[in-house]
Amino acid sequence: MNSDSTNLLDSLPPAPGLDFPFDQFQRYRDIQIVVSELAAGLARPQLRVLDVGGTELTSQFLPDHVIFVANVVEDRANTIQSSGAALPFPDRAFDVVLSVDTLEHIPPALRPAFVQELVRVADGYVVVTGPFASSVN
């Protein structure tokens, strides 16, 4: 590992516990790194982040940011019940829009509308992650 990588990892907040499946932990840790770098590059310590299809893990990995979660199932106070293909937010409402482990659950015919909505409500940055190496998805 080079010194730039070491400095980046040292500058990140500690990761939540390792009690998640490794692939899920890794994707959220990657999100943590990306959002931390975006915040640093924008010289803004706190970003407005929307996680479409998200869970409580987003807040655990990004505790310094303002997190909103949109999901078809409303299960917490900070969750907005909504389809990712028709988000109830104005254009460019969030600094970063995430979709972690969600796109593979969207029927293929609805995926273009889903991604268009992510782009519409983002003010510059959209990050989509998931198990895309699967032949099923």
Side-chain angles (χ1 to χ4, degrees):
M1 189 176 304
N2 67 37
S3 64
D4 289 340
S5 298
T6 302
N7 291 339
L8 171 62
L9 293 175
D10 289 342
S11 69
L12 292 174
L18 295 174
D19 53 340
F20 308 111
F22 180 76
D23 62 329
Q24 187 178 34
F25 171 86
Q26 184 61 51
R27 284 190 285 276
Y28 276 93
R29 184 66 169 164
D30 290 346
I31 291 293
Q32 183 185 47
I33 291 168
V34 168
V35 172
S36 295
E37 284 294 298
L38 289 174
L42 295 169
R44 294 182 46 212
Q46 187 177 70
L47 300 179
R48 289 175 47 89
V49 178
L50 173 65
D51 186 359
V52 180
T55 69
E56 72 283 351
L57 290 177
T58 309
S59 293
Q60 291 178 32
F61 277 82
L62 300 172
D64 297 332
H65 301 282
V66 179
I67 307 298
F68 295 83
V69 175
N71 206 321
V72 293
V73 177
E74 185 176 8
D75 62 355
R76 292 176 318 285
N78 70 334
T79 300
I80 296 96
Q81 188 170 12
S82 172
S83 163
L87 295 166
F89 305 108
D91 295 355
R92 301 178 66 162
F94 299 93
D95 300 305
V96 181
V97 176
L98 309 173
S99 181
V100 182
D101 293 339
T102 302
L103 190 61
E104 69 271 19
H105 300 286
I106 306 296
L110 297 179
R111 289 177 185 172
F114 179 85
V115 172
Q116 287 173 345
E117 275 296 276
L118 302 182
V119 171
R120 181 186 67 78
V121 300
D123 190 17
Y125 301 97
V126 175
V127 181
V128 178
T129 68
F132 298 122
S134 168
S135 62
V136 175
N137 298 309

